Amino acid sequence: MKLNRRFNFVLLLLFLSFCLQACTAAPEEDNQLRQFQRTFLGSFDTVTQVVGYERNEDAFNEVCDEIEKRLMHFHQLYTIYDDNDESNNLKKLNEGAAEKPMPVDPLVMDLLKEGKTFTLKTNGSFNCCLGSVLSLWHDARERAVKNPAEASLPSKEELAEASSHCNPEDLILDEKSHTVFFKDPELKLDLGGLAKGYVVERLARELEAEGVNHYLISAGGNVRSIGDGLPDRPWRIGIQNPDPEKQGLLDTVALHKGAVVTSGTYERFFICDGKRYHHIIDPVTLFPSDRYQSVSVQCANSGTADALSTALFNMSIEDGEQLAEQFEAAVLWLDNAGELHMNARWKEIRLPADAPHR
Ligand code: AMP
Ligand code: MG
């Protein structure tokens, strides 16, 4: 696991530095602003990168310290792997919410409401209650990374049994009593496909309300602008090529305001009998989805973009186009044959390599 993650960090850093090199010009209308950047690891097990325009470094550092602190707070609430002594995080819910309703922080309630809504809207292509199935794949990945020679897959029988405990109707969110209850004792939450995008969206809105402007945050492939964009000078967002052997970016888009989120098979995976098994699980086959190498989504809200990028992995392009349109989302698919597909909205935001940018 650790090896894969480290590899992933390197890829991501390369990608981001490429993308951000392309963003070094200061907004012309205020030449006192300078660009600053910071990268940090930790929250959500991933790399976060912040780019911002400020008059001085102290102002930038102050914003970044806040971002780092708030991301860690969200991480502690939303993790299914780490304990949190202060309140009922998702790990504690997975351990105890089938026994009795458990009180939760409003931030947990709100994420779960979003997760359940997306699960119902995507007909389970994104399913926040898929934890029983996902944990079998997670354990297989951990075992394989620790001891590659002993890599093995979850059995079809255990996957089928686990999949009978993934019904979102068994997740009872009581907003009046602020409690969460699982009607199915085997139900397990996994919000990994939504939480980072949701957090980035919340954080961006909080910072915007506090007056932060001209910033871009990227947390593990979840990119969101903060503050007003400059109409003639968009952020330029490079989409990583999942194949490390291939030079250059898959595509480049202009972002004035909003989010760009990518899900990819290169993010987390393990090898068994020479075959790669990645981390996005098709709820029909219960195996890693076999349609695409990556799916990128651009839309106003980064939580929506995150849930969509995971859901679209498990759908045909035709069905995905219809779902994306409900959210006015631009989408880029890279299929397993290496072919790029994009909807009309994506075509509108594509940038030629030499376009003006921030
Ligand atoms: P992302 O990289 O945003 O596509 O999220 C991938 C993560 O979402 C995985 O690591 C799992 O935690 C979770 N996940 C995998 N498959 C699904 C699915 N079909 N529905 C919901 N979450 C999923
Ligand atoms: Mg996602």
PDB file of all heavy atoms in Angstrom, residues 38-43 48 50 61-74 203 217:
ATOM      1  N   ARG A  38       2.170  26.079  -1.923  1.00  0.00           N
ATOM      2  CA  ARG A  38       2.575  25.178  -0.823  1.00  0.00           C
ATOM      3  C   ARG A  38       1.992  23.793  -1.078  1.00  0.00           C
ATOM      4  O   ARG A  38       0.866  23.672  -1.569  1.00  0.00           O
ATOM      5  CB  ARG A  38       2.085  25.680   0.520  1.00  0.00           C
ATOM      6  CG  ARG A  38       2.797  24.912   1.650  1.00  0.00           C
ATOM      7  CD  ARG A  38       2.102  25.034   2.987  1.00  0.00           C
ATOM      8  NE  ARG A  38       2.317  26.293   3.645  1.00  0.00           N
ATOM      9  CZ  ARG A  38       1.863  26.535   4.884  1.00  0.00           C
ATOM     10  NH1 ARG A  38       1.207  25.604   5.558  1.00  0.00           N
ATOM     11  NH2 ARG A  38       2.042  27.713   5.449  1.00  0.00           N
ATOM     12  N   THR A  39       2.777  22.769  -0.738  1.00  0.00           N
ATOM     13  CA  THR A  39       2.316  21.379  -0.870  1.00  0.00           C
ATOM     14  C   THR A  39       2.440  20.703   0.479  1.00  0.00           C
ATOM     15  O   THR A  39       3.438  20.898   1.164  1.00  0.00           O
ATOM     16  CB  THR A  39       3.212  20.615  -1.876  1.00  0.00           C
ATOM     17  OG1 THR A  39       3.150  21.303  -3.122  1.00  0.00           O
ATOM     18  CG2 THR A  39       2.756  19.186  -2.075  1.00  0.00           C
ATOM     19  N   PHE A  40       1.440  19.950   0.879  1.00  0.00           N
ATOM     20  CA  PHE A  40       1.585  19.187   2.115  1.00  0.00           C
ATOM     21  C   PHE A  40       0.885  17.832   2.016  1.00  0.00           C
ATOM     22  O   PHE A  40      -0.022  17.641   1.206  1.00  0.00           O
ATOM     23  CB  PHE A  40       1.108  19.973   3.343  1.00  0.00           C
ATOM     24  CG  PHE A  40      -0.211  20.660   3.177  1.00  0.00           C
ATOM     25  CD1 PHE A  40      -1.390  20.002   3.491  1.00  0.00           C
ATOM     26  CD2 PHE A  40      -0.271  21.968   2.723  1.00  0.00           C
ATOM     27  CE1 PHE A  40      -2.603  20.640   3.356  1.00  0.00           C
ATOM     28  CE2 PHE A  40      -1.494  22.616   2.574  1.00  0.00           C
ATOM     29  CZ  PHE A  40      -2.654  21.954   2.895  1.00  0.00           C
ATOM     30  N   LEU A  41       1.359  16.909   2.860  1.00  0.00           N
ATOM     31  CA  LEU A  41       0.807  15.554   2.895  1.00  0.00           C
ATOM     32  C   LEU A  41       0.051  15.382   4.195  1.00  0.00           C
ATOM     33  O   LEU A  41       0.236  16.150   5.115  1.00  0.00           O
ATOM     34  CB  LEU A  41       1.941  14.517   2.887  1.00  0.00           C
ATOM     35  CG  LEU A  41       2.938  14.575   1.754  1.00  0.00           C
ATOM     36  CD1 LEU A  41       4.019  13.521   1.964  1.00  0.00           C
ATOM     37  CD2 LEU A  41       2.233  14.311   0.445  1.00  0.00           C
ATOM     38  N   GLY A  42      -0.766  14.386   4.280  1.00  0.00           N
ATOM     39  CA  GLY A  42      -1.380  14.086   5.579  1.00  0.00           C
ATOM     40  C   GLY A  42      -2.862  13.860   5.454  1.00  0.00           C
ATOM     41  O   GLY A  42      -3.311  12.720   5.418  1.00  0.00           O
ATOM     42  N   SER A  43      -3.639  14.930   5.369  1.00  0.00           N
ATOM     43  CA  SER A  43      -5.085  14.760   5.372  1.00  0.00           C
ATOM     44  C   SER A  43      -5.535  13.920   4.183  1.00  0.00           C
ATOM     45  O   SER A  43      -5.044  14.081   3.076  1.00  0.00           O
ATOM     46  CB  SER A  43      -5.776  16.114   5.267  1.00  0.00           C
ATOM     47  OG  SER A  43      -5.051  17.097   5.907  1.00  0.00           O
ATOM     48  N   THR A  48      -1.896  17.593  -0.890  1.00  0.00           N
ATOM     49  CA  THR A  48      -2.698  18.794  -1.133  1.00  0.00           C
ATOM     50  C   THR A  48      -1.760  19.892  -1.622  1.00  0.00           C
ATOM     51  O   THR A  48      -0.678  20.073  -1.071  1.00  0.00           O
ATOM     52  CB  THR A  48      -3.401  19.258   0.160  1.00  0.00           C
ATOM     53  OG1 THR A  48      -4.298  18.230   0.566  1.00  0.00           O
ATOM     54  CG2 THR A  48      -4.185  20.543  -0.068  1.00  0.00           C
ATOM     55  N   VAL A  50      -1.651  24.046  -2.744  1.00  0.00           N
ATOM     56  CA  VAL A  50      -2.372  25.320  -2.756  1.00  0.00           C
ATOM     57  C   VAL A  50      -1.546  26.327  -3.557  1.00  0.00           C
ATOM     58  O   VAL A  50      -0.340  26.421  -3.380  1.00  0.00           O
ATOM     59  CB  VAL A  50      -2.559  25.862  -1.312  1.00  0.00           C
ATOM     60  CG1 VAL A  50      -3.320  27.182  -1.332  1.00  0.00           C
ATOM     61  CG2 VAL A  50      -3.266  24.839  -0.437  1.00  0.00           C
ATOM     62  N   ASN A  61       0.868  32.327   3.832  1.00  0.00           N
ATOM     63  CA  ASN A  61       1.105  31.286   4.833  1.00  0.00           C
ATOM     64  C   ASN A  61      -0.040  31.191   5.830  1.00  0.00           C
ATOM     65  O   ASN A  61      -0.408  30.097   6.272  1.00  0.00           O
ATOM     66  CB  ASN A  61       2.422  31.536   5.576  1.00  0.00           C
ATOM     67  CG  ASN A  61       3.598  31.138   4.709  1.00  0.00           C
ATOM     68  OD1 ASN A  61       3.450  30.313   3.797  1.00  0.00           O
ATOM     69  ND2 ASN A  61       4.753  31.728   4.946  1.00  0.00           N
ATOM     70  N   GLU A  62      -0.617  32.347   6.152  1.00  0.00           N
ATOM     71  CA  GLU A  62      -1.733  32.349   7.096  1.00  0.00           C
ATOM     72  C   GLU A  62      -2.924  31.550   6.522  1.00  0.00           C
ATOM     73  O   GLU A  62      -3.527  30.727   7.205  1.00  0.00           O
ATOM     74  CB  GLU A  62      -2.148  33.798   7.344  1.00  0.00           C
ATOM     75  CG  GLU A  62      -2.831  34.036   8.666  1.00  0.00           C
ATOM     76  CD  GLU A  62      -3.140  35.517   8.824  1.00  0.00           C
ATOM     77  OE1 GLU A  62      -2.201  36.347   8.767  1.00  0.00           O
ATOM     78  OE2 GLU A  62      -4.330  35.827   8.948  1.00  0.00           O
ATOM     79  N   VAL A  63      -3.216  31.791   5.254  1.00  0.00           N
ATOM     80  CA  VAL A  63      -4.328  31.064   4.609  1.00  0.00           C
ATOM     81  C   VAL A  63      -4.001  29.566   4.549  1.00  0.00           C
ATOM     82  O   VAL A  63      -4.837  28.716   4.873  1.00  0.00           O
ATOM     83  CB  VAL A  63      -4.610  31.624   3.190  1.00  0.00           C
ATOM     84  CG1 VAL A  63      -5.646  30.771   2.462  1.00  0.00           C
ATOM     85  CG2 VAL A  63      -5.076  33.073   3.278  1.00  0.00           C
ATOM     86  N   CYS A  64      -2.752  29.254   4.175  1.00  0.00           N
ATOM     87  CA  CYS A  64      -2.374  27.830   4.054  1.00  0.00           C
ATOM     88  C   CYS A  64      -2.430  27.115   5.393  1.00  0.00           C
ATOM     89  O   CYS A  64      -2.868  25.955   5.460  1.00  0.00           O
ATOM     90  CB  CYS A  64      -0.966  27.701   3.478  1.00  0.00           C
ATOM     91  SG  CYS A  64      -0.954  27.962   1.729  1.00  0.00           S
ATOM     92  N   ASP A  65      -2.012  27.786   6.458  1.00  0.00           N
ATOM     93  CA  ASP A  65      -2.066  27.154   7.792  1.00  0.00           C
ATOM     94  C   ASP A  65      -3.511  26.813   8.143  1.00  0.00           C
ATOM     95  O   ASP A  65      -3.799  25.756   8.689  1.00  0.00           O
ATOM     96  CB  ASP A  65      -1.480  28.086   8.866  1.00  0.00           C
ATOM     97  CG  ASP A  65       0.036  28.234   8.722  1.00  0.00           C
ATOM     98  OD1 ASP A  65       0.637  27.450   7.964  1.00  0.00           O
ATOM     99  OD2 ASP A  65       0.604  29.157   9.348  1.00  0.00           O
ATOM    100  N   GLU A  66      -4.406  27.734   7.825  1.00  0.00           N
ATOM    101  CA  GLU A  66      -5.840  27.500   8.075  1.00  0.00           C
ATOM    102  C   GLU A  66      -6.330  26.303   7.269  1.00  0.00           C
ATOM    103  O   GLU A  66      -7.047  25.443   7.777  1.00  0.00           O
ATOM    104  CB  GLU A  66      -6.656  28.730   7.644  1.00  0.00           C
ATOM    105  CG  GLU A  66      -7.079  29.683   8.724  1.00  0.00           C
ATOM    106  CD  GLU A  66      -7.540  29.049  10.019  1.00  0.00           C
ATOM    107  OE1 GLU A  66      -8.560  28.344  10.003  1.00  0.00           O
ATOM    108  OE2 GLU A  66      -6.881  29.246  11.039  1.00  0.00           O
ATOM    109  N   ILE A  67      -5.942  26.269   5.993  1.00  0.00           N
ATOM    110  CA  ILE A  67      -6.385  25.170   5.118  1.00  0.00           C
ATOM    111  C   ILE A  67      -5.904  23.837   5.694  1.00  0.00           C
ATOM    112  O   ILE A  67      -6.670  22.874   5.819  1.00  0.00           O
ATOM    113  CB  ILE A  67      -5.870  25.376   3.676  1.00  0.00           C
ATOM    114  CG1 ILE A  67      -6.587  26.565   3.027  1.00  0.00           C
ATOM    115  CG2 ILE A  67      -6.040  24.111   2.847  1.00  0.00           C
ATOM    116  CD1 ILE A  67      -6.118  26.911   1.624  1.00  0.00           C
ATOM    117  N   GLU A  68      -4.632  23.798   6.091  1.00  0.00           N
ATOM    118  CA  GLU A  68      -4.057  22.542   6.601  1.00  0.00           C
ATOM    119  C   GLU A  68      -4.795  22.101   7.870  1.00  0.00           C
ATOM    120  O   GLU A  68      -5.146  20.926   8.026  1.00  0.00           O
ATOM    121  CB  GLU A  68      -2.564  22.762   6.885  1.00  0.00           C
ATOM    122  CG  GLU A  68      -1.775  21.509   6.753  1.00  0.00           C
ATOM    123  CD  GLU A  68      -0.269  21.729   6.742  1.00  0.00           C
ATOM    124  OE1 GLU A  68       0.200  22.874   6.556  1.00  0.00           O
ATOM    125  OE2 GLU A  68       0.443  20.732   6.940  1.00  0.00           O
ATOM    126  N   LYS A  69      -5.047  23.070   8.748  1.00  0.00           N
ATOM    127  CA  LYS A  69      -5.716  22.755  10.024  1.00  0.00           C
ATOM    128  C   LYS A  69      -7.150  22.246   9.779  1.00  0.00           C
ATOM    129  O   LYS A  69      -7.566  21.230  10.324  1.00  0.00           O
ATOM    130  CB  LYS A  69      -5.744  24.041  10.872  1.00  0.00           C
ATOM    131  CG  LYS A  69      -6.121  23.810  12.323  1.00  0.00           C
ATOM    132  CD  LYS A  69      -6.024  25.086  13.123  1.00  0.00           C
ATOM    133  CE  LYS A  69      -7.342  25.824  13.055  1.00  0.00           C
ATOM    134  NZ  LYS A  69      -7.300  27.217  13.483  1.00  0.00           N
ATOM    135  N   ARG A  70      -7.872  22.959   8.907  1.00  0.00           N
ATOM    136  CA  ARG A  70      -9.276  22.576   8.694  1.00  0.00           C
ATOM    137  C   ARG A  70      -9.378  21.241   7.955  1.00  0.00           C
ATOM    138  O   ARG A  70     -10.280  20.456   8.214  1.00  0.00           O
ATOM    139  CB  ARG A  70     -10.009  23.686   7.922  1.00  0.00           C
ATOM    140  CG  ARG A  70     -10.156  24.948   8.754  1.00  0.00           C
ATOM    141  CD  ARG A  70     -11.020  25.968   8.063  1.00  0.00           C
ATOM    142  NE  ARG A  70     -10.709  27.308   8.530  1.00  0.00           N
ATOM    143  CZ  ARG A  70     -11.332  28.408   8.126  1.00  0.00           C
ATOM    144  NH1 ARG A  70     -12.306  28.337   7.246  1.00  0.00           N
ATOM    145  NH2 ARG A  70     -10.983  29.592   8.589  1.00  0.00           N
ATOM    146  N   LEU A  71      -8.444  21.001   7.015  1.00  0.00           N
ATOM    147  CA  LEU A  71      -8.469  19.711   6.306  1.00  0.00           C
ATOM    148  C   LEU A  71      -8.280  18.565   7.293  1.00  0.00           C
ATOM    149  O   LEU A  71      -8.937  17.527   7.191  1.00  0.00           O
ATOM    150  CB  LEU A  71      -7.354  19.653   5.262  1.00  0.00           C
ATOM    151  CG  LEU A  71      -7.624  20.291   3.909  1.00  0.00           C
ATOM    152  CD1 LEU A  71      -6.389  20.157   3.020  1.00  0.00           C
ATOM    153  CD2 LEU A  71      -8.821  19.650   3.219  1.00  0.00           C
ATOM    154  N   MET A  72      -7.391  18.752   8.254  1.00  0.00           N
ATOM    155  CA  MET A  72      -7.118  17.693   9.230  1.00  0.00           C
ATOM    156  C   MET A  72      -8.356  17.434  10.091  1.00  0.00           C
ATOM    157  O   MET A  72      -8.678  16.282  10.400  1.00  0.00           O
ATOM    158  CB  MET A  72      -5.898  18.074  10.085  1.00  0.00           C
ATOM    159  CG  MET A  72      -5.350  16.943  10.924  1.00  0.00           C
ATOM    160  SD  MET A  72      -5.310  15.314  10.119  1.00  0.00           S
ATOM    161  CE  MET A  72      -3.775  15.390   9.208  1.00  0.00           C
ATOM    162  N   HIS A  73      -9.066  18.511  10.429  1.00  0.00           N
ATOM    163  CA  HIS A  73     -10.295  18.343  11.220  1.00  0.00           C
ATOM    164  C   HIS A  73     -11.317  17.502  10.426  1.00  0.00           C
ATOM    165  O   HIS A  73     -11.919  16.561  10.955  1.00  0.00           O
ATOM    166  CB  HIS A  73     -10.867  19.722  11.563  1.00  0.00           C
ATOM    167  CG  HIS A  73     -12.140  19.651  12.343  1.00  0.00           C
ATOM    168  ND1 HIS A  73     -12.218  19.109  13.607  1.00  0.00           N
ATOM    169  CD2 HIS A  73     -13.401  20.029  12.046  1.00  0.00           C
ATOM    170  CE1 HIS A  73     -13.455  19.156  14.042  1.00  0.00           C
ATOM    171  NE2 HIS A  73     -14.205  19.705  13.105  1.00  0.00           N
ATOM    172  N   PHE A  74     -11.489  17.838   9.154  1.00  0.00           N
ATOM    173  CA  PHE A  74     -12.415  17.068   8.311  1.00  0.00           C
ATOM    174  C   PHE A  74     -11.952  15.605   8.207  1.00  0.00           C
ATOM    175  O   PHE A  74     -12.756  14.678   8.274  1.00  0.00           O
ATOM    176  CB  PHE A  74     -12.488  17.665   6.902  1.00  0.00           C
ATOM    177  CG  PHE A  74     -13.381  18.868   6.791  1.00  0.00           C
ATOM    178  CD1 PHE A  74     -12.865  20.111   6.469  1.00  0.00           C
ATOM    179  CD2 PHE A  74     -14.749  18.762   6.988  1.00  0.00           C
ATOM    180  CE1 PHE A  74     -13.690  21.231   6.346  1.00  0.00           C
ATOM    181  CE2 PHE A  74     -15.579  19.866   6.869  1.00  0.00           C
ATOM    182  CZ  PHE A  74     -15.053  21.107   6.546  1.00  0.00           C
ATOM    183  N   LEU A 203     -14.608  23.861   2.317  1.00  0.00           N
ATOM    184  CA  LEU A 203     -13.473  24.713   2.688  1.00  0.00           C
ATOM    185  C   LEU A 203     -13.413  25.947   1.783  1.00  0.00           C
ATOM    186  O   LEU A 203     -13.235  27.075   2.254  1.00  0.00           O
ATOM    187  CB  LEU A 203     -12.201  23.866   2.532  1.00  0.00           C
ATOM    188  CG  LEU A 203     -10.895  24.409   3.032  1.00  0.00           C
ATOM    189  CD1 LEU A 203     -11.000  24.740   4.509  1.00  0.00           C
ATOM    190  CD2 LEU A 203      -9.805  23.357   2.822  1.00  0.00           C
ATOM    191  N   ILE A 217      -6.995  25.257  -4.931  1.00  0.00           N
ATOM    192  CA  ILE A 217      -6.585  24.150  -4.057  1.00  0.00           C
ATOM    193  C   ILE A 217      -6.756  22.844  -4.813  1.00  0.00           C
ATOM    194  O   ILE A 217      -7.705  22.697  -5.590  1.00  0.00           O
ATOM    195  CB  ILE A 217      -7.393  24.153  -2.731  1.00  0.00           C
ATOM    196  CG1 ILE A 217      -6.963  22.986  -1.843  1.00  0.00           C
ATOM    197  CG2 ILE A 217      -8.885  24.122  -2.954  1.00  0.00           C
ATOM    198  CD1 ILE A 217      -7.504  23.069  -0.425  1.00  0.00           C
TER     199      ILE A 217
END
